[in-house]
Amino acid sequence: MDAREQLHVLGRTGDYPPFAGKIREIHKHPLTAKGIDIVQINLGKRCNLSCRHCHVEAGPERSEVMTQPVLEKCLEILQSSPISTIDITGGAPEMNPHLEWFLAGAAGLERRLIVRSNLTLLGEEPYRHFLDVFVQNKVEIVTSLPDYVEAKSDRQRGAGVFRKIIAAMRELNSRGYGMPGSGLVIDIVHNPVGAYLPGTQAALEHEYRARLLSDHGVHFNQLFCLTNLPVGRYLDYLIASDNFEDYLSTLCQSFNPAAVDNVMCLTTLSVGWNGLLYDCDFNQMLGLTVNHGAPNNIMDFDIEKLKNREIVINNHCYGCVAGCGSSCQGATTVA
Amino acid sequence: MILNHVQERRKLIRLAYPNIRQTLPPPDKTRDRRLKNKSKEFCVSYYEPKDLADFPNIGEWAAEQGNKFFEYYGAATGAGKLTEREKSLIALAVAMTQNCPYCIDAYTTKCLSLGIGSEEMMEAAHVGAAMMAGVTLAHTTQMRKIIKKKEM
């Protein structure tokens, strides 16, 4: 489904008001950025996996990859702006040929540097050297592990993926990742394997920690719970399994006004593989560039115009404010 | 359910009176369909999944008692000495023994959200089933006592 069709489907909120109306009801419209604290850079849609929930619809067949001039511009902006966090995502970032060069440049800026990796490439050539590249650049690794049960996790990400992740985590643990006092951080993202919302982050983290250690001898720092947003392949899944209406209703019913104040778009700027700017990675996949007068291309970056921009919203935004809230850093409110 | 009942009755009549078929009207598929739809309507009008969303409104017309109930409900089902997972499995088992479709829906989803596996949920269901069977059979004590007292 292309972005236009997805937005059309998302318009069907039934008995519930569109997200913009809901925000108006609680007097928070328009939603306005509070600054740019995180720049999330999507290095491209190429990936070795084709996960069933992927909002990016990434896969081996995708050819969209961020080029070096766009990455150079990102570095230039980061150097001259007080942005604390560089968050690299994809696709599989390792499949972008410029990643190693970019990490070296970004590490020199002494900011918080995150790479969202599926880890499965780290056991294969020509990607194994990234195990050491990540250590050298003190990269914080965030990896998706939808469940601590292999069969369940593989239902979402593909056969054999769970074992590869566990193997990579063991190697990273042996280099200090997830171990006390090392300063090397590896966090796990949990997202539901199906049409329901994630449970309490603390309860799930406790269970993950116990099960991964006892069953696989693996350590990690934090668990982040992410709500699956009805975008990309996950939207396809919801429709094909006849869960779309129920799921969207659940998101609308679970609207949490307190989570609105902490949505990630208020402090994040998302950069697409081709340099276009978005309020978040989900807007990126729906083709909703930053708007309301802010420049929408990295080449025209202007922090003054972007830092207090009005956020572009649509009904998928219900996902980030449902229940305890959801962001790339996990729940946004405490249960 | 209604359709099954009609078919069952037909079957019994045929067994008791093998020749009655000649006097019965031929099977009426339209009527069967109508009954089936009626049965669906019956279920839908009483137990609609979307009515689960009305649960927060059960305090309507009795706000004080409603608020007290929710306060108690939250305290009883939230994590304490028992974890949220353990309490959710207990609630799921109770929901099934009490045949409450709303609670089954809510607690199956909650168990999924908490990462509880289908095997664990099925084990909880069997605890509920075993308890129901045990409760039924334990009450045969009363039945057996009365039989023994009243029979010569």
Side-chain angles (χ1 to χ4, degrees):
Chain A
M1 227 187 305
D2 67 27
R4 205 164 49 90
E5 283 174 284
Q6 291 186 53
L7 287 167
H8 179 70
V9 171
L10 286 167
R12 303 201 306 246
T13 51
D15 297 338
Y16 300 93
F19 186 73
K22 195 73 187 171
I23 292 292
R24 231 174 246 121
E25 263 178 35
I26 60 165
H27 312 293
K28 302 231 163 141
H29 192 273
L31 212 52
T32 309
K34 297 173 184 169
I36 303 173
D37 197 34
I38 303 167
V39 167
Q40 190 172 62
I41 304 169
N42 192 312
L43 293 193
K45 298 186 180 183
R46 278 189 73 194
C47 188
N48 56 323
L49 305 179
S50 299
C51 303
R52 290 173 68 194
H53 70 301
C54 183
H55 68 281
V56 179
E57 301 186 70
E61 75 289 355
R62 301 300 296 254
S63 55
E64 301 94 324
V65 171
M66 190 176 273
T67 58
Q68 192 156 2
V70 177
L71 284 163
E72 278 169 1
K73 183 68 181 174
C74 289
L75 277 180
E76 180 194 314
I77 288 163
L78 288 162
Q79 200 158 19
S80 58
S81 311
I83 293 165
S84 75
T85 304
I86 306 165
D87 187 342
I88 297 166
T89 186
E94 296 93 334
M95 293 181 91
N96 184 306
H98 312 296
L99 177 66
E100 191 176 345
W101 163 81
F102 183 77
L103 287 178
L109 302 176
E110 296 188 344
R111 314 287 168 86
R112 184 179 175 205
L113 182 56
I114 299 170
V115 172
R116 294 178 190 271
S117 165
N118 69 38
L119 300 188
T120 60
L121 285 169
L122 300 181
E124 296 172 15
E125 293 300 351
Y127 304 104
R128 276 193 63 76
H129 68 289
F130 277 109
L131 284 163
D132 297 318
V133 171
F134 290 158
V135 175
Q136 284 154 18
N137 294 300
K138 289 196 165 36
V139 168
E140 280 186 38
I141 299 173
V142 178
T143 194
S144 169
L145 191 65
D147 206 280
Y148 45 76
V149 174
E150 180 178 352
K152 209 167 165 184
S153 184
D154 281 359
R155 279 211 300 272
Q156 187 176 81
R157 311 202 68 197
V161 169
F162 182 88
R163 286 186 184 205
K164 286 184 182 173
I165 294 172
I166 295 297
M169 284 186 76
R170 284 201 190 107
E171 289 212 52
L172 288 164
N173 284 165
S174 72
R175 285 166 166 79
Y177 270 100
M179 309 309 282
S182 70
L184 294 171
V185 173
I186 179 161
D187 296 323
I188 290 177
V189 167
H190 158 82
N191 56 280
V193 187
Y196 51 91
L197 303 186
T200 320
Q201 189 163 284
L204 279 160
E205 182 177 293
H206 174 81
E207 206 62 23
Y208 263 75
R209 201 176 296 288
R211 296 288 289 266
L212 289 180
L213 188 61
S214 67
D215 298 351
H216 306 286
V218 159
H219 300 264
F220 67 96
N221 293 88
Q222 274 183 279
L223 180 94
F224 300 145
C225 283
L226 246 75
T227 299
N228 288 312
L229 262 63
V231 176
R233 280 194 202 119
Y234 188 69
L235 179 58
D236 290 339
Y237 153 76
L238 288 175
I239 292 168
S241 60
D242 196 23
N243 275 307
F244 173 71
E245 283 174 17
D246 281 351
Y247 191 74
L248 198 59
S249 299
T250 303
L251 292 182
C252 296
Q253 283 161 23
S254 312
F255 179 80
N256 177 2
V260 176
D261 296 328
N262 301 325
V263 279
M264 60 181 174
C265 52
L266 300 185
T267 51
T268 302
L269 184 69
S270 164
V271 188
W273 66 275
N274 52 4
L276 289 177
L277 302 178
Y278 304 85
D279 295 308
C280 72
D281 208 49
F282 298 104
N283 277 9
Q284 192 178 132
M285 301 316 146
L286 290 169
L288 302 171
T289 55
V290 293
N291 206 335
H292 309 294
N296 68 5
N297 195 303
I298 191 91
M299 299 303 170
D300 306 318
F301 184 87
D302 181 341
I303 198 160
E304 290 307 313
K305 286 184 182 161
L306 284 161
K307 69 180 183 187
N308 299 120
R309 71 193 185 277
E310 183 180 335
I311 304 295
V312 176
I313 55 175
N314 207 292
N315 295 331
H316 62 292
C317 302
Y318 270 115
C320 284
V321 295
C324 292
S326 174
S327 75
C328 289
Q329 300 293 316
T332 55
T333 64
V334 179
Chain B
M1 189 73 93
I2 290 173
L3 185 63
N4 287 345
H5 182 62
V6 170
Q7 283 168 344
E8 194 62 31
R9 274 190 67 186
R10 273 189 189 157
K11 204 168 135 190
L12 288 172
I13 290 168
R14 272 203 302 277
L15 279 173
Y17 308 99
N19 296 327
I20 204 164
R21 193 174 170 79
Q22 292 166 2
T23 60
L24 277 174
D28 182 346
K29 285 190 176 165
T30 318
R31 190 184 56 179
D32 284 355
R33 210 175 296 123
R34 211 170 49 234
L35 284 170
K36 196 174 179 181
N37 288 338
K38 213 169 182 55
S39 141
K40 264 189 194 165
E41 277 169 27
F42 177 85
C43 292
V44 165
S45 58
Y46 278 93
Y47 285 133
E48 290 190 66
K50 68 176 185 183
D51 282 346
L52 181 55
D54 185 54
F55 187 59
N57 304 324
I58 57 168
E60 192 175 14
W61 303 318
E64 193 188 341
Q65 293 92 328
N67 291 340
K68 282 182 176 163
F69 163 74
F70 278 117
E71 198 182 327
Y72 167 70
Y73 186 84
T77 57
K81 299 280 185 201
L82 294 181
T83 64
E84 206 180 351
R85 288 169 64 88
E86 289 162 339
K87 289 190 176 183
S88 296
L89 280 167
I90 294 169
L92 178 64
V94 172
M96 285 183 283
T97 61
Q98 300 304 306
N99 307 324
C100 175
Y102 301 123
C103 305
I104 294 169
D105 187 347
Y107 278 97
T108 303
T109 307
K110 186 165 186 194
C111 285
L112 284 169
S113 292
L114 288 167
I116 298 172
S118 39
E119 290 86 356
E120 292 162 279
M121 284 189 249
M122 205 61 198
E123 279 190 19
H126 277 289
V127 174
M131 284 302 295
M132 292 297 277
V135 166
T136 307
L137 294 173
H139 279 80
T140 65
T141 301
Q142 275 67 38
M143 177 190 78
R144 286 182 286 112
K145 263 166 55 181
I146 293 166
I147 291 170
K148 283 169 190 169
K149 186 184 172 199
K150 293 199 171 175
E151 267 191 341
M152 276 191 219

